């Protein structure tokens, strides 16, 4: 039995100091996605630190609360969406498929973000998504794949509706519900004769 205050050799990771910060942050975001996808927002915050393999002090330094962590997840999601639609042949379907894929595993954070949408930490997310949607919309309308009647606000509303219906569905049904809902909305966006 080790002496009180003395850990067993090899249990403790060496402290890498500030250089560990970016890696710890990435690990915490990845762990949060996994923990909250399986256990929901009621999961203990400490479970995120444990899954990431970092101490709770590191968790709270990077993310003082659940909202800060949710914003970081959504910021990463939006960066991924931005990359997904960067190619000139990326379509609105590509964007919505990517969003659906993210929503299916991020449902725990959706309500948290929605209920805090006026928080200064959250407001930039809408602007970031609107910019991505606008780029795709202009490209799709120029190619004749979307009607001129479609506005960015329409696509953003469709995304909100999709996120809501997906987050309310049972986990096993989410992919099918998402496909069916987008299929219905997609027809409203097609060019009109």
């Amino acid at each position: 039995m080790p002496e009180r205050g003395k850990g067993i050799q090899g249990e403790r990771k060496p402290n890498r100091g500030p250089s560990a910060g970016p890696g710890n942050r990435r690990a915490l975001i990845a762990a949060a996605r996994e923990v909250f996808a399986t256990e929901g927002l009621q999961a203990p915050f400490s479970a995120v630190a444990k899954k990431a393999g970092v101490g709770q002090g590191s968790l709270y330094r990077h993310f003082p609360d659940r909202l800060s962590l949710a914003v970081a997840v959504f910021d990463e999601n939006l960066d991924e969406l931005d990359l997904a639609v960067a190619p000139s042949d990326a379509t609105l379907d590509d964007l919505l498929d990517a969003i659906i894929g993210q929503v299916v595993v991020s449902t725990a954070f959706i309500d948290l973000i929605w209920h805090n949408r006026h928080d200064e930490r959250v407001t930039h997310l809408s602007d970031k998504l609107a910019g991505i949607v606008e780029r795709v919309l202009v490209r799709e309308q120029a190619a004749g794949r979307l009607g001129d009647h479609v506005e960015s606000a329409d696509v953003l509303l469709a995304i909100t509706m999709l996120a809501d219906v997906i987050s309310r569905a049972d986990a096993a049904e989410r992919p099918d519900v998402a496909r069916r809902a987008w299929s219905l909305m997609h027809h409203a966006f097609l060019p009109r004769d």
Side-chain angles (χ1 to χ4, degrees):
M1 179 120 175
E3 259 182 73
R4 186 175 172 92
K6 308 265 185 188
I8 297 173
Q9 198 74 352
E11 262 188 25
R12 196 176 179 121
K13 290 182 185 178
N15 185 341
R16 296 182 316 158
S19 68
N24 287 349
R25 188 175 195 286
R26 284 189 301 275
L28 287 163
I29 292 170
R33 288 178 193 276
E34 196 171 324
V35 167
F36 294 127
T38 57
E39 299 177 41
L41 277 178
Q42 70 277 6
F45 210 38
S46 60
V48 175
K50 184 175 181 178
K51 182 78 176 170
V54 302
Q56 279 191 250
S58 182
L59 171 64
Y60 284 103
R61 264 192 305 282
H62 289 285
F63 307 108
D65 56 29
R66 290 173 197 272
L67 182 58
S68 299
L69 188 52
V71 168
V73 168
F74 275 80
D75 265 326
E76 265 194 11
N77 285 356
L78 290 169
D79 289 344
E80 290 170 13
L81 293 177
D82 201 26
L83 288 173
V85 300
S88 60
D89 61 343
T91 66
L92 182 61
D93 284 332
D94 295 329
L95 174 61
L96 269 293
D97 285 345
I99 288 172
I100 289 167
Q102 291 177 350
V103 169
V104 165
V105 296
S106 299
T107 58
F109 291 128
I110 291 171
D111 280 340
L112 182 62
I113 293 290
W114 178 253
H115 290 298
N116 292 282
R117 64 189 174 279
H118 301 296
D119 186 295
E120 64 184 21
R121 295 172 290 173
V122 174
T123 55
H124 75 282
L125 298 173
S126 296
D127 295 337
K128 204 169 177 181
L129 180 58
I132 293 167
V133 165
E134 182 64 26
R135 279 199 337 265
V136 174
L137 181 61
V138 167
R139 188 166 52 215
E140 288 283 77
Q141 286 174 328
R145 291 186 292 263
L146 289 182
D148 291 334
H149 66 283
V150 180
E151 299 176 14
S152 291
D154 300 325
V155 177
L156 291 169
L157 179 60
I159 291 168
T160 301
M161 291 166 61
L162 274 171
D164 189 56
V165 75
I166 292 167
S167 68
R168 308 266 178 259
D170 290 335
E173 297 173 359
R174 287 177 185 150
D176 184 53
V177 166
R179 276 191 300 280
R180 289 171 46 218
W182 173 234
S183 178
L184 292 170
M185 292 176 194
H186 186 263
H187 290 291
F189 291 166
L190 294 176
R192 296 178 177 164
D193 295 327

